[in-house]
């Protein structure tokens, strides 16, 4: 699963935009293959509800069936169908419904990221000094034009991707000591005061 998908159709964006589906997709992306039962326990929902939402994600190609991870042939395993999803305002701006859906999905993602960071803040002491010193929350201000912002984002994405690959390579070689999932959230946008 080394690919990126840009969502350009409203139906798929709506399917992804459901808050529970975002959580399920995220759990599969981070945790790898899982069954509806495993995911239901993670998101504290009924297995039947999770199964329904997994089927909806699959209908839009956001997730796919995975190779069975156990001997139980009754279990259906799922995995994210791509590494990264993206969706751009430009693809949905032509209709009020498209623009509103795009904005709602972005707001949902921001709410999820905020919740994720607040969970870290609540659990900071349990992470230990080394992780607390490594974690960061920064705010930068640059005066750029659109081309410079595009270039900055491309460079940041390339750098983060290089670190993702470095971590995967190290883990594949058996270097798993001290490795954790690390969220890197980037929001770059113009504003006026």
């Amino acid at each position: 699963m080394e690919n990126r998908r840009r969502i350009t159709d409203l139906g798929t964006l709506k399917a992804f935009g459901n808050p529970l589906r975002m959580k399920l997709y995220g759990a599969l992306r981070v945790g790898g293959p899982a069954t509806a039962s495993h995911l239901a326990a993670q998101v504290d929902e009924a297995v039947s509800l999770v199964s329904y939402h997994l089927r909806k994600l699959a209908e839009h190609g956001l997730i796919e069936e995975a190779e069975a991870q156990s001997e139980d042939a009754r279990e259906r395993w799922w995995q994210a169908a791509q590494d990264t999803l993206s969706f751009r305002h430009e693809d949905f701006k032509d209709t009020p419904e498209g623009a509103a859906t795009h904005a709602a999905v972005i707001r949902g993602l921001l709410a999820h990221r905020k919740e994720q960071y607040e969970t870290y803040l609540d659990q900071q002491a349990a992470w230990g000094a080394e992780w607390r010193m490594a974690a960061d929350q920064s705010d930068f201000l640059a005066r750029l034009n659109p081309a410079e912002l595009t270039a900055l984002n491309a460079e940041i994405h390339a750098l983060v991707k290089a670190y993702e690959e470095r971590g995967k390579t190290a883990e594949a070689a058996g270097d798993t000591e001290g490795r954790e999932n690390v969220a890197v959230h980037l929001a770059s946008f113009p504003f006026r005061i």
Side-chain angles (χ1 to χ4, degrees):
M1 178 186 67
E2 286 292 315
N3 57 22
R4 178 179 185 88
R5 177 177 176 190
R6 182 171 172 175
I7 296 174
T8 58
D9 69 284
L10 187 57
T12 301
L13 186 64
K14 283 181 171 181
F16 177 73
N18 176 284
L20 179 55
R21 291 180 198 156
M22 281 187 197
K23 283 184 181 179
L24 295 171
Y25 179 84
L28 290 170
R29 185 173 164 240
V30 172
T35 66
S37 296
H38 294 124
L39 293 166
Q42 287 180 38
V43 299
D44 195 28
E45 294 288 350
V47 175
S48 59
L49 180 64
V50 168
S51 292
Y52 168 79
H53 286 291
L54 289 172
R55 287 191 303 274
K56 290 297 178 186
L57 288 168
E59 283 175 20
H60 291 275
L62 298 167
I63 66 169
E64 61 194 11
E65 284 196 56
E67 187 175 307
Q69 309 287 309
S70 72
E71 300 296 321
D72 188 345
R74 298 170 297 166
E75 292 183 326
R76 190 172 188 184
W77 289 80
W78 297 97
Q79 65 186 11
Q82 53 279 307
D83 279 334
T84 306
L85 293 176
S86 68
F87 24 87
R88 309 288 298 180
H89 172 76
E90 292 304 309
D91 295 322
F92 300 99
K93 68 179 175 47
D94 293 335
T95 66
E97 182 183 18
T101 300
H102 179 265
V105 170
I106 296 298
R107 282 185 174 89
L109 287 171
L110 289 172
H112 174 71
R113 291 172 184 159
K114 179 179 180 277
E115 178 184 331
Q116 190 178 38
Y117 189 62
E118 287 175 343
T119 298
Y120 164 73
L121 292 175
D122 292 343
Q123 299 170 353
Q124 235 177 353
W127 280 102
E130 192 173 19
W131 277 110
R132 287 192 307 272
M133 293 297 293
D136 183 51
Q137 198 288 319
S138 299
D139 181 21
F140 301 96
L141 176 61
R143 297 221 7 113
L144 307 174
N145 64 36
E148 291 167 336
L149 180 55
T150 299
L152 173 63
N153 286 332
E155 288 181 39
I156 292 170
H157 288 213
L159 180 62
V160 172
K161 191 69 178 165
Y163 273 88
E164 285 176 350
E165 292 304 318
R166 183 186 295 181
K168 287 178 187 175
T169 300
E171 272 196 314
D175 178 8
T176 58
E177 185 70 29
R179 292 194 182 278
E180 299 285 351
N181 294 316
V182 173
V184 179
H185 300 156
L186 170 67
S188 58
F189 52 90
F191 69 96
R192 292 184 179 117
I193 53 173

